[in-house]
Amino acid sequence: MKSFWNFPAASGGLINSINNAGIETFRGNELDSLTREICQNSLDAVKDETQPVIIEFKSFDIPATKFPKQRELVDVYKKCERTWSGKNDKSEQFIKQAQIIMQHPTIQFLRISDFNTKGLEGARTGELGSPWSSLIREAGSSNKSDSSGGSFGIGKSAPFANSKLRTLFYESLDQTNYKSHIGVANIMSFEKEPGLTTVGSGYYTDDESSKAISGFLNLDSSFERTETGTDIYIAGFKPKPNWVNAIRNSVIYNFFITIHQKKLIVRIEDEVISHENLGKLIQSLDETKEEYRHVKSYYEVLISDKALSIPSPKRMYKTIGTFEEGEATLYIMKGDDLNRRVLMTRKAGMRLFEQNRISGSISFTGILIITGRHMNQVFKQMENPAHTLWEPNRYEPSPKDAERAFSDLRKFVRETVQKTFQVETTDTMDAIGLSDFLPDSPILGEGQEKRESLTMKIKEIKQKKKAKQTKKPKKRKSGESYLDDLVAAGLSPEGEESGHSPEVKEEGTGKGGGSGNKNGQQGSAEEGTGTEKEGNEKKEKNRPIEIETRYICVNKEEGLYLVSVKPKKKFEKGRLEFKVLGEQGEFKLPVKDIQSSQIDNVTISGNMVRFKNNVGKEDIYVNVKVDYEHYCVLEVDLYEV
């Protein structure tokens, strides 16, 4: 039977324009998305787990006349043009671009081939639910195993986002030695005949049911498949000039763990990425980019003999069941200038996301890998479609249990890092928790320089009072110490404290209370918390919480401070506001970063830090980096939101 392009009719069903939700998901970052999804899908289809999966990216051109049934597809674009003329600008732009490409003497392709994989099983029959049907015919479908990377069936749209024609060809040799190929044009609905409109997707096939064609298509004359696997041909591949670098960097960034474990080898044109040259390639990454510096830190964990391997504890949950000991493993190490983060991933080994704000005083890095079957199954169901977050609400059997499991995993990471390394660092780096920074006690050890001492002399104590409010009395601020001797010695005014009760105007005014200035007058609402102009943020109902604060300047040049906040009541969500006390009043102090193991869901806006409180009424210790390179007297306000 002859092959042809088959565009099934909608028969009164949905009419689709060029905007495809799955394809649009990968717009703006097409090559990186392509790399992530292709490598993940191939790893999920591994045939022999004792050998690496090999993936090859190769570009080539063919004469336009060799394009499968070129004239038929050109005729389809003409029908699309008649259907959508004057109705949808984006559809018209795509049609015009596609016609230009098809009229060019040659058409560029990208071939992506994998080896040591199972091929597209089910191509012979087209059985529903088979790997072939899930990839080619089904929308939003995935039949992958519990430990696999994908589960939404959206990743198969990533190659289409890299095709100017929205057209792919698939070849496969499966484990039954069945050779097959098929084309898929994911374009738009068009009027096929008067009164008959297509669904938008078409198939290069030899069957009205759009089944695969037996045999290979052989689009790339330089390539011949002799072992099981799948080939994807992206038609109209028009990348940026540096596409090889982009794919190489994406492979290293997202799959360096898998490559190091000898589970993956990637070839891009004439380049090869394997465990043999991975270290060299990682060292060549651009260090001006923060994400690549993090990769270098994580790679150190994989290759260093100083790295520790710590199994997760056994956990039991009502709905989820039991996670046995060691279903996840945390690899951590301590050293100079490390990134203080832990990379989270599952058995597939692809980068998911990083857990930070674990400790601001310990220089460490780590990788957590979920290897247990049951834990992989549960956390896979929490994963978002982009594979960049675990969201417990996605676990339908019990979001509450999933939230607890995720919280326990984060807690395991935090506590393991702190218990493993904290003892070695508290003597020299971190004073938090030692009697509220031991403000009046020397911490000099024998042989240390004098400038590291916390011994202090108080030259002067000033007390300032706020004017009484007519409607609501205010608590007086405590005295503030200016420790000139420490400043002269190269230290901050460590040990200063201020207990205060932030104020708000009466309900109905629409504004919160500002902080008092030097003359005892009420500050403007902009300097307080009642109205927030930065970023046009939503107004929040401010509930001030009385607190006491202490702080230590760790590094003046970098604006690093250790701050202790003692709330007088329990609260779930809060907002900290940081200010500088000066001779002329208070000024907003921009916050660049904040780290603490006691808070989560942190967002920073100017001088304001919103967070979720994990410790109730207990003291909160935070490591704050502010945009201020001089010593300053901090003012900290806390609001419940």
Side-chain angles (χ1 to χ4, degrees), residues 468-491:
K468 292 183 178 179
Q469 301 295 308
T470 56
K471 293 186 178 180
K472 186 176 180 180
K474 292 174 57 182
K475 294 186 179 180
R476 173 175 58 84
K477 284 191 176 183
S478 66
E480 297 171 346
S481 301
Y482 295 83
L483 309 179
D484 297 334
D485 286 359
L486 285 180
V487 173
L491 295 175

Side-chain angles (χ1 to χ4, degrees), residues 235-252:
F237 180 63
K238 297 286 185 181
K240 296 178 181 179
N242 62 345
W243 70 271
V244 172
N245 291 340
I247 292 181
R248 182 206 308 118
N249 291 343
S250 180
V251 168
I252 296 170

Side-chain angles (χ1 to χ4, degrees), residues 48 96 132 151 301 365 419 482 484 509:
D48 180 359
K96 183 178 180 180
W132 182 90
S151 59
V301 176
T365 192
K419 289 178 181 178
Y482 295 83
D484 297 334
T509 63

Side-chain angles (χ1 to χ4, degrees), residues 77 94-103 164-165:
Y77 292 139
F94 167 78
I95 295 165
K96 183 178 180 180
Q97 173 185 259
Q99 289 176 328
I100 292 173
I101 293 173
M102 294 298 283
Q103 292 169 3
K164 298 299 183 183
L165 298 173

Side-chain angles (χ1 to χ4, degrees), residues 25 55 125 163 193 290 355 363 369 422 515 523 564 566:
T25 300
I55 302 173
T125 62
S163 169
E193 298 174 8
E290 184 180 19
Q355 180 177 340
S363 180
I369 304 178
Q422 190 71 45
S515 302
S564 164
K566 299 183 178 183

